[in-house]
Amino acid sequence: MASATVTVYRNGDRNYPGKKLVVNRRQIRSFDAFLDKVTHEVQMKTAARAICTPTEGHKIKELDKIETGGAYVAVGPEHFKKLGYGQCNRSLHQKYM
């Protein structure tokens, strides 16, 4: 993986629209560095300890498993909450248009 653009959501936050991040292997060389970047960019209250898939909550444990165009949920010390990330905000946005 040279670089990938992904969307990251905050665990348990229905109103968070997601943050697009560029994951560049030249700048982010380890999974811990990726978690640090996610914590900062997504403005989490506690440090991100895991990255999960938004539909089933499967944990991603390696930087090489991050897919270009993928969506992921940043999880802190709490358990993964299945909310339908990405759909919650769109339905609210469409309701008020």
Side-chain angles (χ1 to χ4, degrees), residues 42-79:
V42 178
Q43 300 176 348
M44 296 181 67
K45 293 178 183 175
T46 59
R49 295 186 182 174
I51 300 295
C52 298
T53 60
T55 53
E56 296 299 322
H58 296 292
K59 286 187 179 180
I60 306 296
K61 297 181 180 181
E62 297 175 19
L63 200 54
D64 291 335
K65 301 291 182 190
I66 302 290
E67 297 178 4
T68 301
Y72 300 96
V73 179
V75 181
E78 71 280 0
H79 293 288

Side-chain angles (χ1 to χ4, degrees), residues 3 6 10 15 19 25 29 40 44 67 73-74 88 93:
S3 66
V6 298
R10 273 194 300 240
N15 298 319
K19 175 81 174 179
R25 285 296 292 223
R29 296 179 185 214
H40 180 265
M44 296 181 67
E67 297 178 4
V73 179
C88 298
H93 180 72

